[in-house]
Amino acid sequence: MPRLRPRPAARAALAALLPLALLGATAPQAAAAWPEPVPVVSRVETTDPVVFVTIDDGWFHDPAAARLLLDRRVPASLFLLPGAYAYDSGYFHRLLDQGPARVENHTVGHPDLTALDADGQRAEVCGARDAHLAEFGDGPRLLRPPYGAYDAATRTTARACGAKAVVTWTHDLTTWGGWTPPAPELKAGDIVLLHFNETLEQDLERVLALADAAGLRPAPLREYVPE
Ligand SMILES: [Zn+2]
């Protein structure tokens, strides 16, 4: 049936389509590897006598905790949710303007990022970056994924949204429901996780005392994470 055989021109067109189809098949992998994934940091390798205080979410705005952060000049990393400063941004403006704290990225809506595709993760992470920038004029450089849950897409998304690391933690020393975790022996480079909850002032006092006892001082995490 010679008349059904593709003419040379049609064959050339088919051949031209084939590489496109192959490209289409490999594109998602290429997208996952670009931009270059950021490192995941749960503690910092350093010989400096330092610990890192990080405080998440931002829902409860205790004036006593803010006073302590300012009085003790704690260079805390604040992983804030835009919704938690929408109703009282002054609390955090004071911390950032009058002390050495910095605002970092904790997404917009606090999802488990591993349940989202790359586009969904990007909306959460770049969205929070844009909100912080608009409110505080300071773009976050560290991403703490909610629940500490991340995957390969989170590490490339972090880079695409201006972060240089995905940051988890060494010790969660938050008091929850009246239960305070046992005191660890803090070591140089440890990252301590706290939350803006009702017990932040006492949790902070305890962490600062533990740091003192170990001969460590709080240092700014952003400056200890390489570009
Ligand atoms: Zn959180």
Side-chain angles (χ1 to χ4, degrees):
M1 309 255 253
R3 69 199 164 90
L4 288 181
R5 199 178 292 152
R7 287 166 302 163
R11 237 184 265 175
L14 277 175
L17 280 173
L18 190 59
L20 284 178
L22 287 175
L23 268 178
T26 57
Q29 279 174 343
W34 184 262
E36 193 191 334
V38 299
V40 177
V41 177
S42 62
R43 63 184 307 279
V44 173
E45 283 306 322
T46 179
T47 53
D48 292 356
V50 293
V51 288
F52 303 100
V53 175
T54 69
I55 314 175
D56 281 14
D57 301 346
W59 296 118
F60 191 77
H61 303 171
D62 177 18
R67 231 175 359 255
L68 180 57
L69 284 168
L70 291 174
D71 287 352
R72 300 284 292 271
R73 308 279 310 158
V74 181
S77 306
L78 316 182
F79 290 88
L80 300 183
L81 301 165
Y85 56 71
Y87 53 90
D88 172 21
S89 61
Y91 183 82
F92 299 105
H93 275 289
R94 246 184 333 275
L95 285 177
L96 299 175
D97 296 348
Q98 298 174 20
R102 304 299 288 269
V103 62
E104 303 292 1
N105 200 327
H106 197 40
T107 75
V108 173
H110 210 273
D112 175 348
L113 288 173
T114 65
L116 303 180
D117 64 12
D119 285 348
Q121 295 201 27
R122 196 182 171 107
E124 282 287 340
V125 177
C126 282
R129 185 265 317 266
D130 295 347
H132 289 2
L133 207 48
E135 180 65 47
F136 302 110
D138 185 23
R141 300 300 319 285
L142 308 173
L143 168 65
R144 171 163 286 149
Y147 318 106
Y150 62 87
D151 59 17
T154 312
R155 296 175 61 193
T156 54
T157 300
R159 177 88 66 192
C161 301
K164 55 184 175 178
V166 164
V167 174
T168 58
W169 55 88
T170 320
H171 303 288
D172 181 353
L173 298 181
T174 307
T175 296
W176 288 117
W179 183 79
T180 304
E185 188 187 327
L186 290 180
K187 297 199 166 49
D190 283 356
I191 298 172
V192 173
L193 167 62
L194 298 176
H195 287 80
F196 281 96
N197 60 8
E198 292 81 347
T199 55
L200 177 57
E201 185 196 15
Q202 73 195 50
D203 288 349
L204 256 176
E205 286 279 18
R206 191 168 81 116
V207 168
L208 294 175
L210 285 170
D212 270 351
L216 305 171
R217 62 183 157 79
L221 180 55
R222 192 188 287 195
E223 289 169 26
Y224 274 80
V225 173
E227 292 297 327

